Structures are given as C-alpha cells and as structure tokens.
Amino acid sequence: MTDTLSVSVRKPPVDTGPSRRGWTVVLAGLGALLCSLDVVVVATALPALRADFGASLSDLEWTINAYNLVFACLTLTGAALGDRFGRRRMYVLGLAVFTLASATAALSNGPGQLIGARMVQGAGAAVLLPLTLTLISEAFPAEKRGVAIGVWGGVTGLGVAAGPLLGGAVTEGLSWQWIFWLNVPIGLAMLPFAATKLRESRGTRPQLDPVGLVLAAAGLTGLAWAPVRAPQAGWGSAEVLSALTAGLVFVAGFLLWERRGARYPMLPLGHFRNRGFTTANAAAFLLFGSLLGALFMITQLFQTGLGYSPLQAGVRILVWNAMPLLVAPVAGALADRFGTRLFMLVGLLLQGTGLALLAWQVQPGVSYGQLVFPLIIAGIGISMVFPSVANAVTSSVPLGEAGVAAGVNNALRELGGVFGIAVAALVFTRYGGYGSPASFLDGCAPALWVSAGAAGAGALVAAFAPSRTRA
C-alpha cells in the first residue's frame, strides 16, 4: 500500500489540462473565499450583535475567536485527513460541514448558540482551507504555480478584507443573520462540482498518526485559549498561565513524538530546518496577528468611533478591501520570477507603515480623508504577502508534502490571528473603552500601533528568508 501511494504521488497527474486546472482554481478559490470571509465577516456586525443580544466585549471577541480557535487547532488534522483519505473527498466533507454550520449560525437566538455554531464552522474550515492550497499545488507544475497561488491569495485576501463591506451591507440592508445565510446557497452549489471536477489525490502516508493528531490539537488549543481568555482573566491569572503551560507541554510532547515515536509522522520536523519553510510560516503568524488585530479595531472605529452605519463603514473600508484582488495575482506571478522574499519583505513593511500612519491619525476630529492613504498602503502590503507566503511554504517542500505544509501554514496563520485580536483587545481596554467615541479612539490608536509593530516584526523575519524556496 505504501508503494502504491508513493508512486501515485510521484507520477504526473493523469488529467491536469486547462479545463481541470481551471475548475481547481475556481473551486479552491471559492473554498478559500468562504473560509477567509467568515474569519471577519461578523466584524462589521459586532455593534448590531451587541445591541441585539446585549453581548459583552467577551461575547464579541468569542464570536470571532471561536471560529479562529477551532480553525487553528484542527487545521493540521484537516490536512492529515486529506492526505490519508483523499483530498477531494475531505474537501467535499469540509464544505458540507461548513455549509451546515452556517445555517445553524443564522438560526442562533443568543451569543452561546452563535459561538457554538461558529466553532463547528471552524472545524469545517480547518478541513477545507488547507486542501484548497494543496489541490492547487498538486494540479499545477512549479513554474506555473505562482500565478495560480496568486489568484488564490487574491481571493483569500479579498475574503479577509471584504468581510467588513459585505457584513455591513447585509447587516444594514437585511439583518446580521444573512451574513451566514449567504454561505448556504454558495456551498450547496459548489458541492456537486467539487465532487466531480476535482481530481482525487493523496499524500505519501499510508496511515494516520492518531497520537500526533491528539497532541497537536491539545497543544494548539492551550496556546490559543490563553490569549482568547487573557483580556478577561488577565495574563497573570491561573487560567491563562495554566493554558499556556499545558499548550507548551503538549506541543513539546507532539514534537518529541513526531521525532522519535511516530511511524508515519504527520509533521516531518526536518521541514523546519528549511529556512524558506520556517521564515514563511513565522511571517504568516505575524501577518495574521497584525491583520486581524487591526481589522477587529478598524471595523469598530468607523462605527463606534466615527459614527458611520455598518454599510457606510464597509464602503469606506473598501479602499483597503480592493487591494488584494488587484495586487495579489500580480505579486504571485512576479514572485515566480523575482523570488518570494522581496514581496514578503516589502509587503510587510508597507502593511506596518500603513497601520502606523492610521494609528497616528486616529484622534478626535479625524476625517475619513485622513485615513484613506494609510488604508491603501496597508492593503497593498497585505496583498503582496498573501501569495508570497503561500508560494514560499508549498515550494519549500516536496510536492507530496504540500498538504502538510499548507496545514502548518494555516494553523500558524489562525493562531496568529487569535493572538492578534486578543492583544488588540487587551491594549484597547487598557487605554479606552466603549463609554464614548472619544474613549473608543483613546483605546483604538494604541491597539493599531501594536498591530503595526507585529507587521514590522514580520518584515524582520522575512529579511532572513531565502529569495527562492524550491524544494
């Protein structure tokens, strides 16, 4: 069985013509769009949820972080399941779970039910999203992969950034429930095409690594739980310190098991000796920490701080939202020619610069015109980093390991997002609050400075990446 699977991975795909590749890009892009959109689509609806449910700041954080937490903790598992049972098969299953959970979220009548549905959504996305990148990597040869990943990165970035506009339009024009109902017809329409148009493929491992799956999930849960709870319980609380300690212990156990005990390790640790793999994943962690922390504050800034409606806020953030769609495909194509390091480095520097300029401008009396240029700069930067990181990660490992690489990358991205939102909320509550627009601005500016700093740290990491990361 091992030989059969290994041979099937090494042989060129039997059907990777233009039609098959086109369907792969479309379906992988739509899957990535749904997953990334639901990371942040509720952001613009937070004030409406606070009014409708009487939700607290903790409830609002959990509405976003419940999805991110489960997503981060299970994405390695999702990638491993795809490698073992078939990437097309698990893509279809993940899409079905995500669609069903979206309907459940729309039917929620309280914060607890909504948070529970968001957790199930995260589980579906943990299977779905890493497989989108794996399917593209498997369908395209290395010399053409950058363009396809550029399109994937543009759609993914658009999903993250366009969430506020869509959420605002739907919340104001219909109701917040429709931000979840919209996923249902899209998911149902995609299912038959995914089942018939995608090529089935598997990874090189003939068996799952159940001990590794449990240790990885437990470790990531502890590491993600700590920052989620820290703004309420305090970073020095027994709960947070225990979660961090448990997370580190389980992660250490996972690494030890993968190195010495696993017959078919789900994460070959030798990948981390590859400078391209390590730096790209570290940059992804800091990218998402910066992006989601800033997004959590910016969507509320336009409503709570500046008094815009949800739709007005979404439209005004559009100068930020549109950049991934315009820039990411071009950046992905150029990264094939000039290497990924340049685009990761410049992109993170632009993201940090834009957020720093935004933080500098946030003060009582600020006008929208003063915020446009910083938003454009940050948006261009994000657009350059998305495809470059994904290309660097998948190109730094053999093709048969693309699923593992995508799983690690998505786990660290989502974990970074959880930390980013938690730290932004912590800084916000220390310097400001929801008592008045002025009080909100007092807390928003320092939180944005921290997000800018995370992007700057990512640029420092990217400076040590190799220019090209072909395995």
Side-chain angles (χ1 to χ4, degrees):
M1 183 175 181
T2 304
D3 293 340
T4 302
L5 286 175
S6 299
V7 171
S8 67
V9 169
R10 294 190 189 104
K11 285 182 178 180
V14 296
D15 182 6
T16 55
S19 176
R20 180 75 69 175
R21 289 175 182 168
W23 276 110
T24 300
V25 171
V26 169
L27 291 167
L30 285 173
L33 177 64
L34 288 177
C35 294
S36 57
L37 191 64
D38 271 64
V39 173
V40 296
V41 71
V42 298
T44 318
L46 292 178
L49 288 169
R50 186 156 60 95
D52 197 4
F53 289 153
S56 64
L57 176 62
S58 176
D59 292 331
L60 298 181
E61 283 186 80
W62 273 106
T63 301
I64 296 179
N65 277 335
Y67 179 87
N68 293 341
L69 178 67
V70 176
F71 200 163
C73 295
L74 295 184
T75 188
L76 274 176
T77 302
L81 291 173
D83 281 354
R84 174 63 182 88
F85 296 110
R87 292 157 180 164
R88 180 182 65 189
R89 181 180 300 164
M90 296 310 300
Y91 178 95
V92 171
L93 178 61
L95 179 60
V97 170
F98 183 90
T99 303
L100 179 62
S102 297
T104 305
L107 295 170
S108 301
N109 57 17
Q113 292 182 13
L114 177 58
I115 289 168
R118 291 280 286 166
M119 293 177 71
V120 180
Q121 264 193 317
V127 176
L128 185 59
L129 185 60
L131 295 181
T132 63
L133 188 55
T134 309
L135 288 165
I136 288 177
S137 298
E138 195 271 342
F140 286 83
E143 65 273 11
K144 296 182 179 180
R145 200 175 299 152
V147 177
I149 291 179
V151 174
W152 175 92
V155 172
T156 303
L158 180 65
V160 172
L165 174 61
L166 180 61
V170 171
T171 299
E172 187 170 336
L174 297 169
S175 68
W176 65 263
Q177 287 88 348
W178 279 94
I179 63 179
F180 300 111
W181 279 127
L182 289 176
N183 293 334
V184 177
I186 298 174
L188 292 176
M190 289 173 59
L191 282 170
F193 291 105
T196 57
K197 299 297 185 181
L198 293 175
R199 177 181 177 270
E200 186 62 281
S201 64
R202 289 177 170 83
T204 57
R205 294 165 187 77
Q207 296 178 13
L208 285 177
D209 175 18
V211 175
L213 291 175
V214 172
L215 290 173
L220 290 172
T221 298
L223 293 180
W225 182 270
V228 167
R229 287 290 299 144
Q232 288 76 45
W235 282 98
S237 68
E239 177 186 356
V240 171
L241 291 178
S242 296
L244 280 174
T245 301
L248 290 172
V249 168
F250 278 109
V251 167
F254 169 71
L255 296 176
L256 183 62
W257 170 258
E258 295 297 289
R259 182 178 180 182
R260 297 182 179 179
R263 184 178 181 185
Y264 299 104
M266 62 181 291
L267 175 59
L269 299 184
H271 291 336
F272 287 99
R273 291 194 292 269
N274 185 313
R275 188 158 53 98
F277 182 82
T278 302
T279 53
N281 279 301
F285 177 90
L286 292 164
L287 164 70
F288 262 66
S290 171
L291 172 59
L292 293 191
L295 189 62
F296 182 74
M297 298 311 308
I298 290 171
T299 53
Q300 297 184 79
L301 165 66
F302 278 87
Q303 296 178 74
T304 305
L306 303 181
Y308 294 114
S309 70
L311 178 58
Q312 289 172 332
V315 170
R316 282 162 176 78
I317 302 174
L318 190 60
V319 294
W320 191 25
N321 300 348
M323 292 302 110
L325 187 62
L326 298 175
V327 177
V330 178
L334 291 177
D336 274 344
R337 181 177 180 183
F338 297 106
T340 55
R341 178 179 61 192
L342 174 65
F343 292 89
M344 285 194 294
L345 175 60
V346 175
L348 283 161
L349 285 174
L350 288 175
Q351 180 183 349
T353 300
L355 293 178
L357 291 172
L358 195 68
W360 180 52
Q361 295 285 5
V362 170
Q363 53 186 311
V366 63
S367 68
Y368 173 68
Q370 294 172 274
L371 306 179
V372 171
F373 181 69
L375 287 171
I376 292 175
I377 294 299
I380 292 174
I382 293 165
S383 306
M384 296 174 68
V385 184
F386 266 126
S388 303
V389 164
N391 201 350
V393 168
T394 56
S395 298
S396 63
V397 300
L399 181 58
E401 298 292 312
V404 172
V408 172
N409 184 242
N410 280 283
L412 291 174
R413 278 174 30 168
E414 299 308 318
L415 193 61
V418 170
F419 270 89
I421 292 173
V423 172
L426 178 66
V427 173
F428 170 75
T429 55
R430 181 173 181 179
Y431 292 98
Y434 290 111
S436 67
S439 177
F440 180 88
L441 295 177
D442 288 340
C444 182
L448 289 174
W449 278 114
V450 171
S451 295
L460 182 62
V461 170
F464 291 93
S467 178
R468 298 186 182 275
T469 53
R470 300 295 179 199

